[in-house]
Amino acid sequence: MPSDTVLSLSGIDRHYGQGETTLSILKGADFSLRSGETVALVAPSGTGKSTLLHVAGLLEHPDAGEVTLGGVACHDLSDERRTAMRRHSVGFVYQFHHLLPEFSALENIMMPQLIAGLSRDEARERASQLLDYMRIGHRGEHRPAELSGGEQQRVAIARAVANAPLVLLADEPTGNLDPETASYVFSALEALVRQSGLAALIATHNHELARRMDRCVTLIDGKVVDFLA
């Protein structure tokens, strides 16, 4: 494994039971992600994009195979250790922002840092820096309902990287935005990845955005395959 590989999936199987039948989603899937790399995951609905992201982010156990995150093999880790790995090494962004409505933008970004043990002052400073970086520092005291869709998603991205994870996993992060706003939000995300050395796997149906990433992969018969968008 190359020294700059931060995420590796090897021989991943994932299946679900449906009555008396078994639905196989991932079948011997292999994938690796390097530090500072952005990879687009482009595949039709129902082919296993979300499943791949959930396995990669330690939200689901694979039925076979190994997930290695930051050089640590995760198959035999306890649930407590997996939770700690997920909290410190992985950031998640979804199509819908899932911000906490009763808290301000700044407080939403502070939350994962406080859970990780940072002081309020440290968390506030980091949150302010991220909001400024995402060009919405002036909106820090606003609650999600007072923000536009693009602003909400930029807050969600800032929250996802607040604990300086190794890997960012995004599931259709611009899918709920109009094309112009989607492009703007993706540009902010891309700049953040480049500046921080973060590695990002981004599921998207948007081929224009996919072409802006370092490479593109898809899912064919349960396996990860490279392709040109």
Side-chain angles (χ1 to χ4, degrees):
M1 184 187 304
S3 60
D4 61 347
T5 297
V6 293
L7 173 67
S8 174
L9 278 62
S10 178
I12 298 296
D13 289 351
R14 187 71 177 108
H15 52 75
Y16 303 95
Q18 286 193 335
E20 297 180 355
T21 65
T22 298
L23 180 63
S24 295
I25 303 298
L26 302 176
K27 295 178 272 189
D30 298 318
F31 174 74
S32 63
L33 188 62
R34 301 190 308 275
S35 178
E37 181 181 37
T38 57
V39 177
L41 174 58
V42 183
S45 298
T47 55
K49 295 194 304 296
S50 295
T51 297
L52 184 71
L53 291 171
H54 289 169
V55 170
L58 308 183
L59 290 171
E60 293 187 29
H61 286 270
D63 296 295
E66 182 63 274
V67 177
T68 303
L69 181 61
V72 177
C74 299
H75 184 271
D76 293 325
L77 295 180
S78 66
D79 287 343
E80 182 179 5
R81 180 72 174 119
R82 285 172 65 90
T83 298
M85 285 283 290
R86 189 167 59 243
R87 180 181 299 154
H88 294 287
S89 298
V90 184
F92 294 94
V93 181
Y94 298 97
Q95 179 175 350
F96 300 99
H97 54 78
H98 296 301
L99 299 174
L100 299 172
E102 66 271 29
F103 294 102
S104 69
L106 190 72
E107 291 167 335
N108 266 277
I109 302 169
M110 290 173 62
M111 200 68 66
Q113 300 177 76
L114 295 173
I115 292 171
L118 268 70
S119 70
R120 289 193 65 83
D121 287 344
E122 290 174 314
R124 178 175 289 275
E125 181 178 0
R126 168 76 170 161
S128 295
Q129 290 173 347
L130 285 167
L131 283 172
D132 287 341
Y133 194 87
M134 300 300 283
R135 300 183 181 179
I136 48 172
H138 61 294
R139 305 288 274 164
E141 298 303 327
H142 292 73
R143 294 186 180 185
E146 300 171 309
L147 304 175
S148 70
E151 289 171 337
Q152 290 170 349
Q153 200 63 319
R154 277 181 278 167
V155 174
I157 292 168
R159 181 182 59 181
V161 302
N163 284 336
L166 296 173
V167 175
L168 179 69
L169 302 174
D171 196 353
E172 299 288 348
T174 62
N176 198 39
L177 305 174
D178 65 80
E180 182 178 355
T181 304
S183 179
Y184 188 87
V185 169
F186 180 78
S187 293
L189 171 59
E190 186 178 33
L192 189 62
V193 169
R194 303 298 184 199
Q195 290 293 325
S196 65
L198 182 68
L201 175 61
I202 301 171
T204 181
H205 284 105
N206 189 322
H207 283 253
E208 181 179 344
L209 295 184
R211 284 190 290 269
R212 292 166 58 176
M213 299 188 219
D214 295 318
R215 59 189 174 99
C216 300
V217 298
T218 189
L219 284 163
I220 298 176
D221 194 27
K223 291 181 168 57
V224 181
V225 179
D226 287 288
F227 85 108
L228 296 176

